[in-house]
Amino acid sequence: IVKEITTRQAEILRYIKTYAKKQGYLPTYDSIGEYFGFRKSAAAKHVKALMRKGYIEQGRYGHKIKIKTKEKV
């Protein structure tokens, strides 16, 4: 079951999907934070919220993320 997300979380998820499509790989916390103007730690908190809600999962080595759902945001 996928839970509802906030507007900011939807923006971040959209950014992750767009970044992956353009770059061919998923963004790091650093690149997410840089894009939205906040620190890596804040980016990590947003990503972890998306993980808890079932939208993405942690990558194999812990520094990248993986889109888990194909649902539109």
Side-chain angles (χ1 to χ4, degrees):
I1 293 179
V2 177
K3 298 178 183 178
E4 286 190 40
I5 57 177
T6 66
T7 301
R8 175 60 87 184
Q9 290 166 353
E11 291 169 348
I12 291 170
L13 184 58
R14 194 172 304 112
Y15 168 76
I16 291 168
K17 289 178 178 183
T18 301
Y19 184 101
K21 193 173 193 176
K22 288 181 180 178
Q23 302 297 326
Y25 55 90
L26 293 163
T28 62
Y29 295 143
D30 285 323
S31 58
I32 294 169
E34 185 177 317
Y35 182 84
F36 286 97
F38 44 69
R39 294 179 183 196
K40 177 181 176 177
S41 60
K45 287 180 183 180
H46 285 292
V47 169
K48 287 178 184 179
L50 288 167
M51 286 180 201
R52 283 193 309 274
K53 294 177 180 184
Y55 284 85
I56 57 179
E57 62 186 23
Q58 189 73 44
R60 175 178 249 164
Y61 300 106
H63 63 282
K64 288 193 176 182
I65 53 178
K66 179 179 173 184
I67 298 170
K68 191 173 176 182
T69 181
K70 298 286 185 189
E71 292 183 28
K72 290 196 179 243
V73 175

